Amino acid sequence: MRLITDPGELASLGPCVFVPTMGALHDGHAALIRIGVAEAERRGLSGGCVVSIFVNPTQFNDFADFEKYPRTMDADLLACEGSGASAVFAPSVEAVYPPGEAASEVVLPPVATAPGLEDRFRPGHFEGVYRVVRRLFELVKPVAAVFGEKDWQQLRVISAMVEREGLGVEIVPGETVREAGGLAMSSRNKHLGPEDREAALSLSRALCAAGREGDPAEAERVMEAMMREAGAEPEYAVVRDAETLLSIGAGHAGPARALVAARVGTTRLLDNAPWPSVGFGVGAAAL
Ligand code: PAF
């Protein structure tokens, strides 16, 4: 596996599947990399699966959160190699955002500003994600890229960006990987203490309970109540159209998604699931 820091070296890799990350890799990332490796093999791409590790400063609306973000490069490189990546691209901030170069304009697709979701609680976050992913695509030039369903709104924003800008990168979704008990894997789980466990588990439990409700408004009420009862502070607990992320009524036709975000102590957690549904598969036995 190659470690590349200079974008000029990327050209020698050949066509590839790309998995962008901010490092602090866990089994959820490993699953995304394995999807990337399988996709590259299936398409006969000589560049294999390229993983980027870059903690993107422009997507943090809180500098303390950026500083606190776990950085575990040595372990990350081992995880990439163990999952079959052909190369890791770990650029400097200057390589991604060259000093003196004007920031490219970002006009967010409507799904990024769907009312009451990430934009309300993390203003500016999707501008940063949009900028960095577009820039990484420009540097890596992938044929396809893998994004986790755990960040459902991000997945929708990136799909809309690719379509709108005609970037010609196929977006491949990767299912959320869960710990036993249902907690969605996240780099932020490292900040949870044993005393936070019940509150953290309440997000996936709430999604499961909501999946059994037939009415979106009732499903939202149930999710909010379950999270509060367990000690989490919900930011949102909603059922939305799975693609536009706009509110839906009782007779909604087409795929819908339940999405939750909550603070557990000082840690912000996100999760989502298809709605209605009866469980997650992984970890569902414990729910
Ligand atoms: O999902 C993430 O880890 C980040 O938002 C991404 C896509 C790597 C962009 O920095």
Side-chain angles (χ1 to χ4, degrees):
M1 187 185 78
R2 286 172 66 184
L3 172 60
I4 296 177
T5 54
D6 174 1
E9 281 180 45
L10 289 167
S12 61
L13 281 175
C16 66
V17 176
F18 180 42
V19 182
T21 81
M22 297 207 299
L25 303 183
H26 47 69
D27 287 354
H29 292 111
L32 298 182
I33 298 168
R34 285 196 299 272
I35 292 173
V37 171
E39 282 292 322
E41 269 170 22
R42 188 174 71 78
R43 295 159 193 253
L45 300 177
S46 59
C49 175
V50 176
V51 179
S52 66
I53 298 180
F54 178 65
V55 185
N56 173 34
T58 66
Q59 71 186 76
F60 289 84
N61 52 340
D62 174 1
F63 187 67
D65 196 24
F66 170 67
E67 287 204 304
K68 189 177 144 192
Y69 199 85
R71 285 154 173 92
T72 55
M73 186 57 97
D74 292 346
D76 290 349
L77 292 176
L78 286 175
C80 290
E81 186 145 42
S83 307
S86 54
V88 168
F89 176 46
S92 63
V93 173
E94 292 71 29
V96 176
Y97 301 115
E101 200 174 278
S104 51
E105 199 202 349
V106 167
V107 181
L108 289 176
V111 69
T113 49
L117 299 180
E118 290 302 290
D119 185 53
R120 172 166 172 211
F121 297 95
R122 303 180 77 192
H125 170 69
F126 280 132
E127 275 90 352
V129 170
Y130 194 105
R131 265 179 86 190
V132 79
V133 173
R134 189 170 58 182
R135 176 75 177 139
L136 290 169
F137 281 3
E138 201 175 276
L139 295 171
V140 177
K141 297 184 177 52
V143 171
V146 188
F147 286 83
E149 290 185 346
K150 149 97 184 356
D151 295 299
W152 184 263
Q153 193 175 8
Q154 170 173 281
L155 175 62
R156 300 304 323 147
V157 170
I158 299 302
S159 302
M161 172 184 87
V162 165
E163 199 174 320
R164 199 173 55 176
E165 299 205 18
L167 299 182
V169 179
E170 189 186 323
I171 302 301
V172 179
E175 269 184 31
T176 302
V177 178
R178 297 179 181 281
E179 295 178 6
L183 178 64
M185 290 203 179
S186 162
S187 306
R188 292 170 197 271
N189 293 356
K190 286 192 170 72
H191 300 308
L192 297 170
E195 70 285 3
D196 296 323
R197 188 147 180 87
E198 280 306 299
L201 283 174
S202 73
L203 278 76
S204 53
R205 287 180 178 155
L207 290 169
C208 272
R212 292 188 287 267
E213 297 292 336
D215 176 67
E218 186 55 18
E220 292 179 352
R221 196 197 60 72
V222 165
M223 290 192 287
E224 163 117 20
M226 281 181 74
M227 289 192 288
R228 276 199 198 290
E229 205 168 302
E233 279 175 53
E235 287 185 344
Y236 55 80
V238 295
V239 176
R240 297 283 173 95
D241 179 272
E243 196 166 323
T244 63
L245 298 187
L246 296 176
S247 301
I248 59 170
H252 180 72
R257 203 92 192 167
L259 303 109
V260 292
R263 295 216 170 250
V264 172
T266 55
T267 307
R268 185 169 189 269
L269 300 177
L270 294 183
D271 204 351
N272 68 85
W275 183 88
S277 70
V278 287
F280 296 128
V282 179
L287 297 171

